[in-house]
Amino acid sequence: DGGITQSPKYLFRKEGQNVTLSCEQNLNHDAMYWYRQDPGQGLRLIYYSQIVNDFQKGDIAEGYSVSREKKESFPLTVTSAQKNPTAFYLCASSPYDFGQTYGYTFGSGTRLTVV
Amino acid sequence: AQTVTQSQPEMSVQEAETVTLSCTYDTSESDYYLFWYKQPPSRQMILVIRQEAYKQQNATENRFSVNFQKAAKSFSLKISDSQLGDAAMYFCAYRYGAQKLVFGQGTRLTINP
């Protein structure tokens, strides 16, 4: 079945470490997105990519980095510059077509905790 | 910029009753899409229903229906015959063409047995 796989489900980071969250999709979607969700809060956009080798900052990109070397993969790195990284991270994808509008398909998320 | 507002941070309803979640949005576009997503305790985001702005008929998916008022920029979600499994965070979202989805802040729905 097609879908989005996020790994790991739980991740622990020590102070000063960089960590990378994985997001892989086999839906042949062009666009991919990373969101952060804090407890009881809505979704805030970190980065997004509409095509391979291109990506744009979202609303809260500081302290994060991404790459998009393959259509299927959009990893997110949480750097040591991110002062409050403890949160739930959601990856999503969507077809990218100016002639149509689609909703997003979401992964199951990664819970990152700073220890 | 487009914005989506959910004015009810929390709602509760008795099992088997009907509940309506509110959503308003702001846009200058005429042809766009609106969505309701459900996030249960598992935190998996699930698409509940979507509405194309050019369609006057309100979308319906089983027990879920919307009241789309384009002139008022209102997009409420009605859940009929509420079930315990409906307990979740519900997010309203807007999308214009290939642009990013814009989410509201969410409404936490509790179902009382």
Side-chain angles (χ1 to χ4, degrees):
Chain A
D1 288 336
I4 299 181
T5 302
Q6 287 188 245
S7 61
K9 191 173 180 65
Y10 300 96
L11 185 58
F12 298 90
R13 189 192 96 166
K14 293 182 179 179
E15 294 282 351
Q17 274 187 339
N18 292 352
V19 291
T20 297
L21 284 60
S22 171
C23 179
E24 303 275 337
Q25 54 100 358
N26 60 2
L27 299 165
N28 199 34
H29 286 172
D30 296 293
M32 298 186 73
Y33 308 83
W34 274 107
Y35 286 89
R36 170 179 172 142
Q37 187 178 26
D38 292 286
Q41 302 298 313
L43 283 70
R44 293 187 290 170
L45 182 64
I46 305 172
Y47 268 99
Y48 64 103
S49 168
Q50 293 169 330
I51 195 170
V52 175
N53 293 322
D54 187 43
F55 48 83
Q56 288 79 40
K57 293 182 179 179
D59 302 316
I60 56 165
E62 185 175 352
Y64 300 96
S65 66
V66 294
S67 63
R68 186 86 187 276
E69 297 176 2
K70 298 186 301 181
K71 188 176 185 177
E72 302 79 18
S73 178
F74 191 41
L76 173 73
T77 297
V78 184
T79 74
S80 57
Q82 172 48 240
K83 298 306 179 187
N84 185 21
T86 294
F88 185 68
Y89 291 86
L90 276 165
C91 180
S93 72
S94 168
Y96 186 66
D97 181 347
F98 284 104
Q100 295 287 332
T101 297
Y102 303 90
Y104 289 1
T105 300
F106 284 87
S108 56
T110 293
R111 173 70 183 174
L112 174 62
T113 303
V114 174
V115 296
Chain B
Q2 294 88 359
T3 58
V4 177
T5 302
Q6 294 179 247
S7 59
Q8 307 152 314
E10 297 183 355
M11 292 280 286
S12 64
V13 65
Q14 291 296 123
E15 192 176 4
E17 294 189 348
T18 296
V19 63
T20 299
L21 309 183
S22 300
C23 173
T24 58
Y25 58 94
D26 186 25
T27 183
S28 58
E29 305 294 343
S30 60
D31 189 11
Y32 50 86
Y33 285 70
L34 297 161
F35 305 84
W36 278 99
Y37 281 88
K38 170 185 177 181
Q39 188 181 40
S42 67
R43 307 197 79 170
Q44 175 75 55
M45 293 284 283
I46 302 165
L47 177 64
V48 174
I49 200 165
R50 82 174 206 169
Q51 173 80 42
E52 294 101 342
Y54 65 86
K55 288 187 177 180
Q56 293 186 336
Q57 186 173 3
N58 290 324
T60 299
E61 289 288 343
N62 300 315
R63 298 182 295 106
F64 298 86
S65 61
V66 299
N67 183 6
F68 174 50
Q69 301 290 328
K70 191 172 183 179
K73 295 180 182 175
S74 171
F75 183 60
S76 60
L77 175 69
K78 185 172 82 171
I79 305 174
S80 304
D81 185 25
S82 298
Q83 300 176 0
L84 295 177
D86 295 333
M89 282 285 284
Y90 285 82
F91 292 97
C92 179
Y94 161 99
R95 192 174 196 188
Y96 172 64
Q99 295 179 3
K100 301 164 288 181
L101 263 178
V102 178
F103 288 92
Q105 284 300 100
T107 296
R108 182 174 301 280
L109 178 64
T110 301
I111 311 295
N112 300 312

